[in-house]
Amino acid sequence: MSLAKQPTVLVCSCERSMPGFGASVARGCPGARVEAGDQFCGAELDRVRSALSSGGAVTISCTQQAPLFGELAEELGFAGDLVFANIRETGGWSQGAAAAGPKAAALLAMAAEPASAPALVTLSSNGVVLVYGCDATAIDAGRQLAEKLDVTVLLSRPGEIAPHRVWDFPVMQGTIRKARGHLGAFELTVDDFAAPNPSSRDRLRFGISRDGAVSNADIILDLSGGVPLFPAHELRDGYVKADPGDRASVA
């Protein structure tokens, strides 16, 4: 059974322009071989070469000269983990440099930790679309989508809208107060929520409204012309905001 080789941490004082943090780093990284120096990128480059030749993971307290150390590792055929941490601008050159030893140790220890895989979220949609608007533009968009998707149109403070003889999809009244979620799992809190009166003749009239209604959707098409429902909305999968006055963007 082969044992993992001891990692090496190289702590540089950058030509003694900051305190030597070797002792603090040794206490903070008890499982590593800690070597302190003053110029690992020049006069003491052979010490870096020796550390890389040992085969274990190497952490160097310098990001400025990372390209140089990377080239050296490639030249030596180093196949281990080589990482860097900036302890100079973040501690050694600060006003509190004399007491920055523990911070330097923490930065180097964190740099040596393996990066965890990013969390994955599975996005799926069942084709339930909420079209959010305030006039007939939203209804027209809903009609275009209704042939292939399960559509509901939500109108915020609608004006004069002529009722259709046949409604192929629900048209409701309401203003979205809160929205959260992502593609396939949006949850909306709606105020002034009401269904249309079946007896609407000259214009669409709605019944008694209520606040705090909850609606779910897989996709939101926002044609309200107002403030986006989400910050950085361009990055929100499943949320599409279009200018209701731009027919090309709505089509």
Side-chain angles (χ1 to χ4, degrees), residues 108-128:
L108 288 163
M110 288 174 58
E113 285 294 316
S116 57
L120 299 179
V121 176
T122 300
L123 303 180
S124 61
S125 171
N126 294 317
V128 178

Side-chain angles (χ1 to χ4, degrees), residues 129-133 141 145 219-223 238-242 250:
V129 181
L130 178 77
V131 181
Y132 184 47
L145 297 172
I219 301 169
I220 301 173
L221 174 57
D222 186 350
L223 301 176
Y239 176 72
V240 180
K241 183 168 180 59
V250 175

Side-chain angles (χ1 to χ4, degrees), residues 121-124 180-187 217-219 230 236-239:
V121 176
T122 300
L123 303 180
S124 61
R180 65 179 183 177
H182 51 75
L183 174 67
F186 286 110
E187 182 179 286
D218 296 323
I219 301 169
F230 301 95
R236 181 78 56 157
D237 288 326
Y239 176 72

Side-chain angles (χ1 to χ4, degrees), residues 211-237:
D211 293 339
V214 176
S215 178
N216 299 99
D218 296 323
I219 301 169
I220 301 173
L221 174 57
D222 186 350
L223 301 176
S224 65
V227 176
L229 299 178
F230 301 95
H233 64 91
E234 301 90 345
L235 305 178
R236 181 78 56 157
D237 288 326

Side-chain angles (χ1 to χ4, degrees), residues 130-134 138 152-157 174-177 220-225 229:
L130 178 77
V131 181
Y132 184 47
C134 56
T152 296
V153 173
L154 182 66
L155 300 175
S156 177
R157 303 180 182 88
T175 299
I176 297 175
R177 176 183 9 124
I220 301 173
L221 174 57
D222 186 350
L223 301 176
S224 65
L229 299 178

Side-chain angles (χ1 to χ4, degrees), residues 10 16 20 31 40 48 56 71 87 89 98 108 112 123 128 134-135 142 148 150 172 193 208 218 220 223 230 233:
L10 301 179
R16 299 185 181 181
F40 283 122
V48 180
E71 289 177 6
I87 67 170
E89 282 78 7
L108 288 163
L123 303 180
V128 178
C134 56
D135 55 24
K148 297 182 179 180
D150 183 358
M172 312 296 286
F193 182 77
I208 299 174
D218 296 323
I220 301 173
L223 301 176
F230 301 95
H233 64 91

Side-chain angles (χ1 to χ4, degrees), residues 159-167 195-207:
E160 298 284 334
I161 297 178
H164 288 255
R165 290 185 177 181
V166 177
W167 287 108
N197 291 327
S199 59
S200 298
R201 296 180 61 183
D202 55 333
R203 67 183 182 89
L204 205 57
R205 301 175 187 274
F206 293 87

